């Protein structure tokens, strides 16, 4: 079984493009052009240069000694938190902004949850001198205030999404509506491996640099390209897709995906899609999502804005259904504890999203000989207000 | 022949269709609104199945959907309500909603419920031409339901021809690149687009929708198409009162 997208935009049973006719020309333009542009020498040169000199890649693969002592095995952290703007999100925005330019687009729209993708988009728009509008749920605007200020300082307009749960799902709806209303000059710069084909594949290809570097770095440090386990958090699933990408066909590497279970998977206040979700369509893609018996998408909950999404990308739905991936979850509390633990053991304050990935170290079986990579998707600066409140500083 | 097809066979101009959201303003108003519209001389009705994430809809229909869901509307109740008035309703009804609702309810169960509720056709904006052809065409035909496709100012001529070939009631001409919602008037660019599609001499009649809101835009639309669909403006008009007088007044102003 393969794990790359097929010619119809599907990963197994999941994916495709369930879009209104209003979006057909936009999506078709992207579908017809993205591979050719991404594979061109010019794009590759510009993309690699920006990743190196602007983003600061390769991101280090750091041997977390004290964390390893605590949990066993050899645990490495892939330091996406050290990227410019503080998360893996910028790998994708740097690539998509080049693509948007080559398609001649003048106006960039994006959705954001934690604000990391919004900041990463506003950043590349400032760099390329393009108009930038970021949709963000009203609730997220409140809980990620520092990122809202950063986007504004970068020159982006932040538009609140006030419908539904007022979080990432609703911000995505608003971005899609904006695109419907501005079909010609506007590029929708999506922030995760979600949405209609070809977005999941496009974003996965741009995040694939994470695992490309991991292979080289692991070879250098351990003599082997392949670790035993890779752990990543999954909101939509872009940092996980990037960390898995070059290992998807290497079945000896266990791929562990961690979803946010909020207050607990049975509490009704959760974002653990694979645990309580069923197949359906969200944001133009057939995937697993949280919904009621009548197909109404239900409101997710997580302390972490970046994981507060009722679906997962179609690649991840396929990894789940085919058992290629192991899907675990972590609660708000477990994530907070793990964030504090990493901070005290290694002097690294992680993003709340990334803390969910760390939280499963205590739940999985680890052999002394195991090499484990945790994808540290982002840094905790944006979450300081939550940490202060929850940890009592 | 399905009621919708019959309508278009017999009537070629000034066709007026109204969209409203089932369960809005109140859970139990669905039947009254349908009957009120029928008595007021509307030609067919789109009965919205409120959805949590209506990506092709503007603020008015989003808001009515959110309220309808909060009122307790769901597909079981929706179909029950339609069934209970089926004997008294002669107009063609179209169920309008999103693919996920049908998929989750179960395709066959959903389509059978449509038939039992007196539905003649479906408008599911996120059901693409490709997915319809590959997965739904045969099913819809088995239940005698027609699928209505949208065409927009950005749709290529070649694709309009494909849509025409697969359609068998009417083509929904979206008036501008936009989500649903009222706009004040129809501009020259839109007129040129209406003319362009009209001059393609398609086999299916055209009905213009999105942004048609008053008698002026309705009659303009009727110059280039067999009729027009009014959604958001009607939904707004029944937000306070949905008695027969309110409805018939709205319709008579549109027709004036
Ligand atoms: C630091 C960080 N990690 C993870 C995520 C979740 O997104 P994804 O699952 O696409 O990696 C976000 C989203 O905002 C984020 O900011």
């Amino acid at each position: 079984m393969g794990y790359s997208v097929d010619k119809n935009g599907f990963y197994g049973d999941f994916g495709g493009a369930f879009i209104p006719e209003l979006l057909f020309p936009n999506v078709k333009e992207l579908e017809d052009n993205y591979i050719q542009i991404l594979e061109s020498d010019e794009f590759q040169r510009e993309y690699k240069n920006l990743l190196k000199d602007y983003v600061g890649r390769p991101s280090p693969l750091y041997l977390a000694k004290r964390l390893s002592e605590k949990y066993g095995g050899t645990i490495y952290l892939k330091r996406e938190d050290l990227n410019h703007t503080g998360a893996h999100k910028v790998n994708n925005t740097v690539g998509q902004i080049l693509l948007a330019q080559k398609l001649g687009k003048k106006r960039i729209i994006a959705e954001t949850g934690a604000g990391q993708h919004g900041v990463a988009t506003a950043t590349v728009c400032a760099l390329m001198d393009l108009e930038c509008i970021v949709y963000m749920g009203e609730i997220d605007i409140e809980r990620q205030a520092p990122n809202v200020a950063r986007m504004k300082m970068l020159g982006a307009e932040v538009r609140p999404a006030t419908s539904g749960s007022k979080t990432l799902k609703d911000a995505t709806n608003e971005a899609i509506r904006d695109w419907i209303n501005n079909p010609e000059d506007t590029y929708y710069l999506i922030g995760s491996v979600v949405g209609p084909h070809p977005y999941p594949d496009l974003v996965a290809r741009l995040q694939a640099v994470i695992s490309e570097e991991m292979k080289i770095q692991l070879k250098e440090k351990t003599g082997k390209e392949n670790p035993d386990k890779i752990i990543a958090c999954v909101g939509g699933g872009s940092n996980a897709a990037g960390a898995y990408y070059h290992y998807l066909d290497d079945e000896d590497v266990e791929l562990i995906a961690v979803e946010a279970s909020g207050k607990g998977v049975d509490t009704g206040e959760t974002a653990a899609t694979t645990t309580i979700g069923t197949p359906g369509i969200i944001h133009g893609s057939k995937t697993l999502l949280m919904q009621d018996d009548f197909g109404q998408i239900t409101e997710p909950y997580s302390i972490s804005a970046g994981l507060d999404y009722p679906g997962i990308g179609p690649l991840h739905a396929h990894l789940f259904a085919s058992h290629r991936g192991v899907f675990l979850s972590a609660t708000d509390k477990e994530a907070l504890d793990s964030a504090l633990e990493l901070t005290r053991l290694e002097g690294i304050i992680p993003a709340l999203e990334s803390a969910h990935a760390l939280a499963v170290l205590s739940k999985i079986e680890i052999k002394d000989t195991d090499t484990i990579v945790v994808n540290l998707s982002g840094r905790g600066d944006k979450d300081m207000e939550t940490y202060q409140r929850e940890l009592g500083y | 022949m399905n009621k919708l097809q019959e309508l278009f066979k017999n009537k070629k101009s000034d066709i007026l269709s109204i969209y409203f959201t089932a369960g809005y303003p109140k859970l139990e108003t669905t039947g009254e609104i349908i009957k009120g519209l029928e008595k007021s001389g509307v030609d067919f009705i789109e009965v919205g199945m409120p959805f949590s994430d209506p990506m092709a809809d503007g603020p008015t229909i989003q808001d009515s959907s959110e309220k309808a869901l909060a009122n307790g509307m769901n597909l079981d109740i929706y179909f029950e309500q339609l069934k209970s008035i089926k004997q008294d309703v002669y107009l063609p009804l179209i169920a309008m909603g999103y693919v996920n609702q049908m998929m989750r309810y179960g395709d066959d169960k959903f389509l059978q419920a449509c038939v039992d509720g007196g539905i003649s056709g479906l408008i599911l904006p996120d059901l693409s031409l490709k997915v319809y052809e590959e997965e739904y065409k045969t099913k819809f035909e088995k239940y005698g339901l027609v699928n209505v496709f949208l065409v927009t100012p950005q749709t290529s001529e070649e694709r309009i021809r494909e849509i025409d070939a697969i359609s068998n009631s009417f083509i929904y001409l979206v008036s501008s690149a936009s989500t649903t919602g009222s706009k004040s008037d129809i501009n020259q660019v839109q007129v040129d687009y209406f003319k362009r599609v009209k001059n393609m001499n398609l086999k299916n009649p055209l009905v213009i929708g999105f942004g048609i809101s008053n008698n002026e835009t309705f009659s303009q639309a009727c110059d280039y198409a067999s009729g027009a669909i009014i959604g958001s403006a009607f939904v707004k008009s029944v937000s306070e009162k949905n008695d027969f007088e309110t409805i018939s007044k709205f319709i008579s102003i549109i027709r004036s």
Side-chain angles (χ1 to χ4, degrees), chain A residues 86-89 112-117 147 168 191-194 203 207 233-241 304-307 316 351-354 376-379 382-383:
Chain A
H88 68 292
K89 295 285 181 189
T112 195
Q116 285 304 116
H117 174 60
N147 273 345
L168 181 54
S192 192
V193 286
V194 300
V203 177
Q207 291 292 358
C233 66
V234 172
S238 65
N239 85 87
S304 136
L307 304 182
H316 294 289
L352 264 170
E353 291 78 13
S354 322
L376 201 70
S377 57
R379 68 176 89 124
K382 69 182 176 61
D383 297 310

Side-chain angles (χ1 to χ4, degrees), chain B residues 49-94:
Chain B
M49 305 179 283
F51 182 51
S52 55
D53 295 78
M55 67 159 119
D57 287 302
T60 305
I61 294 177
Q62 280 174 49
D63 180 63
S64 67
S65 302
E66 215 170 292
K67 296 213 165 96
L69 292 171
N71 288 341
M73 181 48 84
N74 65 39
L75 281 185
D76 278 347
I77 297 174
Y78 175 93
F79 288 125
E80 214 35 67
Q81 289 179 342
L82 291 182
K83 226 161 107 178
S84 72
I85 53 160
K86 192 178 171 187
Q87 297 312 319
D88 316 322
V89 177
Y90 303 96
L91 288 188
L93 303 180
I94 290 182

Side-chain angles (χ1 to χ4, degrees), chain B residues 220-233:
Chain B
Q220 265 182 299
C222 289
D223 290 342
Y224 306 99
S226 303
I229 300 168
I230 298 177
S232 298

Side-chain angles (χ1 to χ4, degrees), chain B residues 139-200:
Chain B
K139 279 188 191 163
F140 281 31
E141 282 169 359
K142 184 175 129 195
Y143 290 93
L145 293 163
V146 300
N147 187 52
V148 178
F149 290 97
L150 310 187
V151 156
T152 83
Q154 275 72 36
T155 312
S156 69
E157 177 166 342
E158 186 191 352
R159 195 165 162 88
I160 295 175
R161 299 237 176 254
E162 274 178 64
I163 287 172
D164 188 41
I166 203 168
S167 298
N168 51 8
S169 57
F170 70 95
I171 289 175
Y172 194 139
L173 204 58
V174 176
S175 71
S176 65
S178 126
T179 44
T180 55
S182 322
K183 285 170 207 68
S184 50
D185 51 13
I186 289 176
N187 62 32
Q188 191 55 42
V189 177
Q190 288 170 285
V191 168
D192 292 345
Y193 150 64
F194 298 157
K195 280 190 190 157
R196 171 167 63 83
V197 182
K198 185 180 179 202
N199 290 336
M200 286 177 70

Side-chain angles (χ1 to χ4, degrees), chain A residues 8 18-22 24-25 164 169 173 176-177 180-181 183-184 278 280-281 291-297, chain B residues 50-55 57 62 66 69 74-76 100 103-104 125-126 130 150 152 154 159 177-179:
Chain A
N8 293 318
F18 294 80
I19 48 166
E21 188 61 30
L22 298 139
F24 179 81
K169 159 178 91 84
N173 289 336
I176 291 173
R177 291 183 186 118
I180 287 175
N181 284 283
E184 287 179 343
T278 44
I281 291 163
Q291 56 182 332
D292 71 10
D293 293 345
F294 300 101
Q296 306 295 343
I297 299 173
Chain B
F51 182 51
S52 55
D53 295 78
M55 67 159 119
D57 287 302
Q62 280 174 49
E66 215 170 292
L69 292 171
N74 65 39
L75 281 185
D76 278 347
N100 196 50
M103 209 181 249
R104 179 70 175 147
D126 57 341
K130 181 160 177 258
L150 310 187
T152 83
Q154 275 72 36
R159 195 165 162 88
S178 126
T179 44

Side-chain angles (χ1 to χ4, degrees), chain A residues 61-74:
Chain A
L61 186 73
Y62 166 71
L63 170 60
K65 277 215 193 76
R66 295 185 64 204
L67 199 65
S68 305
E69 272 163 29
K70 168 136 199 207
Y71 292 106
T74 308

